[in-house]
Amino acid sequence: MTLFSAQQLLAILKQYNLQGRLWVAYSGGLDSTVLLHALHEIRHHLPIERVCAVHVHHGLHPDADQWARHCRQFCRSRQIFYQVCRVDARARTGESVEARARDLRYRALGVLLRRHETVLTAQHADDQAETVLLQLLRGAGTAGLSGMAARSALGEGWRVRPLLSFTRTQLLGYAKAQGLTWIEDESNQDLRYDRSFIRQKITPLLRKRWPSFAQTLSRSAELQATATRLLRDCARLDWLLCRGETDKQLDIATLLSLSSERQEQVLRYWLNALKFSMPSRVKLREIREMLCQAKADRQPVVKWEGVELRRCRGQLYAMLPLPPRPPRWEVQWDLQQPLRLPLGELRAECRRGAGLLSDQVSLPLRVRLREGGERWLSEGHHRRLKKQLQALSFPPWWRAYLPLLYAENELLWVAGVGVGDVPRTTGTDQGWFIWWSV
């Protein structure tokens, strides 16, 4: 078995468009010590500003301060720029310590990066194998079984894992050959943690039977990643067919023309693109029942953490949960600054030939939420607002939050409908163009 070398690291890093500072997430353990040392050796062969090390102090271990000092000394002896980021990784009730520490660590690293900069992390082939095994035991699909990506976005920059093709044994050989010292965290031996249990109890048995099992699982993760990309590409093509009137809507008839498997892929792609949390399989089944079985005049809703899916007039809507609606809500607005509403906000800007005629509007105006029963002058007739909203297929769940703009008691403007007859701009008149964003 060949040992890891700095030249191998250089060949890997040359695949990436490195810019500015190149950071190493440096815990002081074996893996990150090898990565930082090798990177320091090849720094002059890379198009970077300088090598930097960041140590995330989680505040969990009694020796955490000592670990930070060890890392500082390692960097000082090699004139490597060093920074400590402190986070409070103590878990809240019902929360995983591992998950919280990981989330806070990557959040801190993301804040650190300038645009297009990169942070290197030291996960290796054994870590990848453990990740794949954990995902298998959790019943993951192709995305989960892809394991850890070699490169992924982080903050305004990138996270790169250049050691995924090397085993811990190879890294250990390099560390011994270079006379390096590192920290041993005894919590890595704690069998209460799933990853530690796999590392201590499962991995030795697998390696004894299949010596190259880590590389084999890493290869399987790469194949799963390829399959995941293909599925995502297919889902995007289906999404383009099913896309509704806006990015937050899907056309239900088109969606139902697909197989159930493709429907699920489209739903996941769509929700992920909107940065919503993924539904469980139970919730996916509820969504499909809502799509297939709900009558046209029904307005069903499926909810899970931070998301609501609603159906209306052949369209499926994805949205944040509706907030409580305050009774008899009314404020004054001078149109100069955005106005926060119970749902969304109002904005206004001056435009020629659009909106309220600015010369005939006395500011501030009053903003109310729709209560029902409103009538206004539109297209030469006094019309019931309810009928106009129905004709425009305005989603019923938003009607109670609909902002209305008044001068005294005269209704001038309705979100989603526009300006009434008076005072509307014409031609090149200067007007206030107003819009509601949800």
Side-chain angles (χ1 to χ4, degrees):
M1 178 178 60
T2 58
L3 295 180
F4 166 78
S5 71
Q7 290 305 309
Q8 289 173 307
L9 178 63
L10 177 61
I12 292 169
L13 293 179
K14 282 187 173 180
Q15 301 174 41
Y16 302 105
N17 180 26
L18 301 175
Q19 301 179 32
R21 302 168 299 176
L22 182 56
W23 291 88
V24 172
Y26 179 40
S27 68
L30 168 67
D31 313 327
S32 62
T33 299
V34 167
L35 177 57
L36 182 57
H37 182 274
L39 181 62
H40 181 65
E41 292 292 304
I42 60 172
R43 65 193 184 281
H44 297 306
H45 301 284
L46 292 168
I48 58 173
E49 196 177 299
R50 62 174 169 175
V51 171
C52 304
V54 54
H55 177 83
V56 180
H57 188 306
H58 297 91
L60 294 174
H61 197 280
D63 295 333
D65 290 335
Q66 182 181 332
W67 295 347
R69 288 192 295 270
H70 166 89
C71 293
R72 181 181 295 108
Q73 181 56 40
F74 183 93
C75 293
R76 181 179 296 166
S77 66
R78 293 164 176 81
Q79 296 184 319
I80 299 171
F81 178 83
Y82 173 74
Q83 182 170 331
V84 176
C85 291
R86 294 179 178 270
V87 299
D88 182 3
R90 290 173 295 182
R92 296 183 284 260
T93 303
E95 190 177 28
S96 162
V97 175
E98 294 171 288
R100 178 168 172 79
R102 181 178 60 252
D103 291 346
L104 290 176
R105 180 165 61 250
Y106 283 124
R107 194 178 304 168
L109 295 177
V111 169
L112 194 67
L113 295 177
R114 297 174 189 159
R115 187 168 177 80
H116 300 310
E117 287 189 338
T118 298
V119 61
L120 306 181
T121 58
Q123 291 91 351
H124 47 70
D126 296 86
D127 295 322
Q128 184 76 296
E130 293 165 6
T131 299
V132 173
L133 286 172
L134 281 169
Q135 293 294 340
L136 274 171
L137 293 170
R138 292 166 182 164
T142 56
L145 296 177
S146 300
M148 298 175 287
R151 183 175 184 256
S152 55
L154 182 65
E156 293 192 351
W158 299 95
R159 171 178 57 197
V160 170
R161 299 180 173 99
L163 303 182
L164 288 177
S165 58
F166 302 99
T167 64
R168 187 180 190 279
T169 301
Q170 289 174 296
L171 303 183
L172 180 60
Y174 176 93
K176 288 181 176 178
Q178 298 294 329
L180 303 179
T181 58
W182 59 89
I183 295 165
E184 293 286 0
D185 181 358
E186 67 272 14
S187 67
N188 290 331
Q189 314 297 319
D190 191 338
L191 299 183
R192 290 176 299 174
Y193 301 124
D194 292 341
R195 187 174 290 272
S196 295
F197 181 83
I198 286 178
R199 184 176 301 156
Q200 301 301 320
K201 297 295 185 181
I202 307 300
T203 296
L205 292 174
L206 293 174
R207 183 171 287 112
K208 185 176 180 179
R209 179 78 176 189
W210 296 283
S212 299
F213 95 97
Q215 293 95 327
T216 301
L217 286 184
S218 292
R219 187 163 61 251
S220 292
E222 292 175 6
L223 295 173
Q224 294 293 335
T226 299
T228 299
R229 288 191 293 270
L230 290 172
L231 287 171
R232 189 178 297 123
D233 288 345
C234 292
R236 183 178 184 278
L237 293 175
D238 283 343
W239 170 75
L240 290 171
L241 292 174
C242 299
R243 186 179 182 274
E245 296 170 7
T246 72
D247 286 347
K248 293 185 178 180
Q249 295 167 236
L250 293 180
D251 181 79
I252 292 175
T254 308
L255 186 62
L256 288 177
S257 71
L258 304 177
S259 67
S260 58
E261 292 82 7
R262 288 169 66 185
Q263 288 175 29
E264 286 196 11
Q265 290 296 321
V266 170
L267 289 167
R268 290 184 182 278
Y269 177 89
W270 177 50
L271 293 167
N272 182 66
L274 295 173
K275 301 189 184 307
F276 284 141
S277 63
M278 288 297 105
S280 65
R281 296 199 67 82
V282 172
K283 289 297 179 183
L284 277 171
R285 187 161 56 248
E286 283 186 41
I287 295 168
R288 292 194 64 241
E289 289 174 357
M290 175 177 75
L291 296 175
C292 299
Q293 299 175 14
K295 295 180 180 179
D297 59 345
R298 297 288 301 278
Q299 298 167 19
V301 56
V302 177
K303 302 179 182 182
W304 66 94
E305 185 179 359
V307 190
E308 291 183 356
L309 287 193
R310 295 175 179 268
R311 173 177 176 159
C312 178
R313 295 181 180 267
Q315 297 281 302
L316 184 65
Y317 292 74
M319 53 194 289
L320 295 170
L322 292 173
R325 185 194 182 282
R328 307 295 299 179
W329 188 88
E330 180 178 321
V331 295
Q332 289 188 330
W333 186 35
D334 63 6
L335 280 65
Q336 304 299 320
Q337 300 294 331
L339 177 66
R340 292 296 302 169
L341 303 172
L343 180 64
E345 69 175 13
L346 285 180
R347 291 177 177 267
E349 65 179 34
C350 281
R351 295 185 185 177
R352 289 194 179 278
L356 294 170
L357 187 61
S358 56
D359 289 345
Q360 296 185 26
V361 172
S362 179
L363 302 178
L365 299 175
R366 288 187 298 149
V367 182
R368 301 175 186 168
L369 298 186
R370 178 175 178 265
E371 296 289 344
E374 294 88 356
R375 300 177 69 90
W376 71 326
L377 186 63
S378 175
E379 299 177 354
H381 300 279
H382 282 91
R383 300 175 182 273
R384 293 179 61 193
L385 182 57
K386 176 181 178 180
K387 293 293 186 181
Q388 282 191 285
L389 295 176
Q390 289 174 341
L392 292 168
S393 301
F394 199 89
W397 55 84
W398 280 336
R399 294 176 192 173
Y401 297 86
L402 195 68
L404 313 177
L405 205 57
Y406 286 83
E408 299 299 333
N409 288 318
E410 183 180 6
L411 179 56
L412 305 179
W413 174 89
V414 178
V417 180
V419 182
D421 286 356
V422 182
R424 182 196 297 269
T425 58
T426 59
T428 60
D429 294 333
Q430 191 78 8
W432 284 105
F433 180 78
I434 303 166
W435 69 98
W436 178 38
S437 57
V438 180

